[in-house]
Amino acid sequence: MRDHEKPAIEMQQVSKAYGATVALENVTFSIQPGEVQALLGENGAGKSTLVKILTGVVRPDTGALFLNGNRYTPANVLEARAAGVSTAFQELSLVPNLTVAENFFLPRMLKDASRLTSLKIMTQRAAEILARFGLETVNPARIVSDLPLADRQRIEIARAMERKPKVLILDEPTAALADVEWLFRLVRDLQAKDTAILYISHRLAEIRALAQRATILRSGSSVATVGLSEASDSDIFEMMVGHGVGERKPTRISDSANKPKPVLTVNDLQGSNVDSVSLVLGEGEIVGVAGLDGQGQREMFRILAGHTKPSGGQIILGDRPMRFTNPRSALRSPGGIAFVPEERKTEGIFPSLTSTNNITISMLRKLARFGLVTRRREATFARKPAEAVELNLRYMSFKIGNLSGGNQQKAIIARALLTGAKILLLFDPTRGVDVGTKQTIYNAIRKHAEGGGSVLVYSSELPELIELCDRCLVMYGSEISAELTRDEMDERKMVAIMTGNIAAEARSAETL
Ligand code: ADP
């Protein structure tokens, strides 16, 4: 970091309110060229608003921004980018129905000699860019929405970095990535080239590995900017929440000696990227699924949820073999299977509807009387699941698109709870949400299991699986390569299995 120079970017006394909600209040901080600075804060602390202001999406009410010492007043993302401020957004900003190549060149498509937009030229150039970022396996001609989330995230990041920015903003860049080293290398490269980097993450270990300083936001105010080598984890938590936090212990109760009654049995399931998957989910059980990106977990969840058809194998609910034709048939099956997918922006929420509407949406028909649902009746039904996930009832009549990511996620889980399904399939349910919201979601999951429900949960975060699950399956190369009991779950061991290093032993022996 070059600390004697002018800051690459600076915010002075910036405030922003949305109606009565003060999102940012007198926020001041700066990043030096060649510095990686973390931005930390609980959900609702104001991080997204700060990013939106730096990128020209939102204008501050008061205060000023400076870029290399000059006033900086971006009117939109394109202006920010032209000034040298590039962003990889948390809710990826790629246009889903365009190709990877088109996304790289938006909004200015490349033309050929006759000044026609040339897909061929763009595809070639995009392939070169992808190769520079070690993403040769991504086909630039593919439509973005057909790619797995992890690839989309990598493309979002490559696209932001490719423009050689002076300031780079990475908002939860690893949320969908199991392999962070790829990103770390790129970040360090840019740092060496004097880019100033703002790094937003809920993962403290990542922040410590990359950043030199951290600015902490709490309730819209910048509490402090600290040197990370001087601040302990508990110092940081304390600044984030405003009081000390005790060590949290896992509180799962299930008695693993008594085998629970199977509610979902999967035998030899086959499908795209799913090979001979067998598993049993018992009543009251929370079973985890671990795996690096692309090991088949996504496809497995989608088959079990009725989104895609398997090419072979059996799905048995209780003792009845089932064949799901669509998600609705999975939901209506005996006991019911409700699915919370990975990507809330495109598959989960309806941003212009209220939280209440979003929670009740899959149950409207059931809630209706004489074909109609009154607002009051809808609100009454939404209340209990909202309370189960501690979604503040104040937010129930807000458009969900205006709520923070953590609150949106709570609403999606409330929706799954309202269906009354016994089996919940949760795909990375706390991706990108803060520490406090995570605990709330864990509590709701535990309660569901304590009430006799069953949960199959994939997470990209191993500590989450370790804290939450009674057992954990590891997927590797389209198969389930290991099953670990609660006592066997250990981060290092799991990583070794996930990377294929000790798959053989894991399958054959109890030695794990
Ligand atoms: P974070 O990203 O740290 O979770 P945000 O910047 O999203 O925090 O939110 C800060 C506060 O501003 C929250 O109370 C949030 O509900 C509120 N807020 C954010 N965007 C809007 C909006 N468009 N309309 C109303 N309130 C908003």
Side-chain angles (χ1 to χ4, degrees):
M1 150 167 65
R2 305 217 309 245
D3 14 358
H4 304 300
E5 291 181 21
K6 277 192 265 190
I9 187 128
E10 191 172 4
M11 250 194 187
Q12 280 183 8
Q13 301 283 322
V14 164
S15 299
K16 170 75 196 174
Y18 295 103
T21 310
V22 179
L24 290 180
E25 195 168 13
N26 291 330
V27 168
T28 295
F29 80 101
S30 62
I31 312 176
Q32 293 301 123
E35 177 187 4
V36 180
Q37 189 172 127
L39 181 68
L40 295 171
E42 283 210 281
N43 249 11
K47 302 179 298 296
S48 309
T49 305
L50 188 150
V51 170
K52 286 180 187 156
I53 288 175
L54 289 176
T55 51
V57 176
V58 160
R59 259 148 300 291
D61 299 334
T62 58
L65 309 182
F66 298 89
L67 196 63
N68 286 321
N70 302 316
R71 260 314 275 275
Y72 164 62
T73 51
N76 52 49
V77 176
L78 292 181
E79 265 189 46
R81 202 194 287 163
V85 179
S86 252
T87 309
F89 287 95
Q90 177 188 6
E91 302 287 5
L92 312 183
S93 62
L94 305 173
V95 181
N97 53 356
L98 294 184
T99 65
V100 173
E102 285 167 320
N103 266 283
F104 268 112
F105 298 105
L106 275 176
R108 242 178 294 148
M109 298 293 168
L110 300 186
K111 314 256 160 130
D112 61 15
S114 51
R115 322 194 91 211
L116 293 171
T117 297
S118 166
L119 213 52
K120 193 167 150 220
I121 296 178
M122 286 197 285
T123 308
Q124 270 169 8
R125 284 278 303 281
E128 288 160 22
I129 299 171
L130 288 166
R132 255 199 285 135
F133 285 89
L135 301 176
E136 296 85 348
T137 52
V138 178
N139 177 353
R142 280 201 57 192
I143 300 289
V144 161
S145 61
D146 292 341
L147 295 173
L149 188 56
D151 277 348
R152 281 188 254 172
Q153 183 148 39
R154 290 189 193 99
I155 294 164
E156 175 89 16
I157 291 167
R159 194 175 65 149
M161 289 182 164
E162 188 262 325
R163 296 166 175 141
K164 302 198 174 62
K166 296 194 194 83
V167 177
L168 174 69
I169 300 168
L170 297 171
D171 190 356
E172 286 284 346
T174 58
L177 299 184
D179 173 21
V180 296
E181 280 308 318
W182 171 81
L183 175 71
F184 282 15
R185 261 196 312 277
L186 294 171
V187 167
R188 290 185 181 123
D189 271 2
L190 280 179
Q191 185 179 13
K193 291 180 187 137
D194 277 340
T195 303
I197 295 160
L198 183 66
Y199 192 89
I200 302 176
S201 172
H202 292 300
R203 297 173 182 168
L204 209 48
E206 259 173 38
I207 284 167
R208 287 200 179 279
L210 272 186
Q212 290 76 58
R213 296 190 295 168
T215 289
I216 290 122
L217 286 183
R218 186 171 78 233
S219 309
S221 300
S222 41
V223 178
T225 298
V226 294
L228 282 162
S229 48
E230 290 108 57
S232 71
D233 288 3
S234 57
D235 292 342
I236 292 172
F237 283 133
E238 205 163 320
M239 286 185 264
M240 283 169 69
V241 299
H243 54 80
V245 276
E247 283 275 296
R248 284 182 206 274
K249 285 186 219 73
T251 52
R252 267 300 287 167
I253 28 63
S254 144
D255 175 1
S256 49
N258 296 327
K259 277 224 156 151
K261 190 171 107 197
V263 290
L264 170 70
T265 307
V266 175
N267 288 330
D268 203 18
L269 197 67
Q270 301 286 347
S272 136
N273 206 13
V274 172
D275 192 11
S276 308
V277 163
S278 298
L279 62 90
V280 178
L281 181 63
E283 190 176 79
E285 261 198 317
I286 303 177
V287 174
V289 177
L292 298 177
D293 297 334
Q295 302 305 309
Q297 62 270 42
R298 185 169 188 268
E299 292 83 354
M300 174 180 84
F301 271 72
R302 295 185 80 82
I303 291 175
L304 296 180
H307 275 273
T308 29
K309 290 201 185 112
S311 54
Q314 253 189 333
I315 299 173
I316 303 168
L317 288 181
D319 48 16
R320 288 174 57 179
M322 304 297 300
R323 229 172 255 283
F324 303 137
T325 45
N326 53 39
R328 186 175 291 255
S329 64
L331 188 59
R332 288 189 178 158
S333 60
I337 297 183
F339 177 44
V340 174
E342 63 185 312
E343 214 185 346
R344 63 174 173 261
K345 199 176 178 191
T346 53
E347 293 192 68
I349 64 160
F350 300 87
S352 57
L353 301 181
T354 65
S355 302
T356 296
N357 301 149
N358 269 279
I359 292 172
T360 56
I361 199 149
S362 44
M363 296 309 287
L364 279 183
R365 218 179 281 180
K366 222 168 167 183
L367 301 186
R369 281 181 184 153
F370 310 114
L372 292 172
V373 183
T374 62
R375 264 201 211 180
R376 179 188 284 182
R377 187 168 163 81
E378 209 184 335
T380 310
F381 275 92
R383 202 181 167 105
K384 199 169 151 215
E387 281 171 351
V389 294
E390 294 174 35
L391 179 62
N392 194 326
L393 296 178
R394 209 156 46 91
Y395 295 145
M396 296 301 280
S397 55
F398 285 28
K399 279 189 185 167
I400 203 165
N402 289 340
L403 299 183
S404 66
N407 283 324
Q408 294 177 359
Q409 196 62 11
K410 285 182 181 179
I412 291 178
I413 292 174
R415 178 197 297 164
L417 293 175
L418 179 67
T419 63
K422 283 279 196 208
I423 299 173
L424 297 184
L425 304 177
L426 308 175
F427 201 93
D428 231 354
T430 69
R431 182 173 97 87
V433 310
D434 67 286
V435 189
T437 305
K438 277 189 180 167
Q439 289 299 333
T440 312
I441 292 175
Y442 298 164
N443 287 340
I445 294 173
R446 288 188 187 113
K447 260 201 211 123
H448 180 77
E450 281 161 23
S454 308
V455 181
L456 188 69
V457 53
Y458 164 73
S459 175
S460 52
E461 292 186 34
L462 295 179
E464 174 159 305
L465 294 172
I466 294 170
E467 170 159 0
L468 195 59
C469 300
D470 302 315
R471 288 185 287 134
C472 187
L473 310 171
V474 181
M475 283 198 80
Y476 179 72
S478 318
E479 298 178 2
I480 291 180
S481 68
E483 177 177 339
L484 304 176
T485 65
R486 183 156 188 100
D487 297 335
E488 292 166 341
M489 281 189 245
D490 161 273
E491 218 169 320
R492 282 181 47 195
K493 195 185 296 170
M494 290 165 86
V495 168
I497 303 172
M498 283 159 69
T499 48
N501 282 327
I502 52 171
E505 293 108 285
R507 239 186 252 122
S508 62
E510 318 277 305
T511 51
L512 279 166

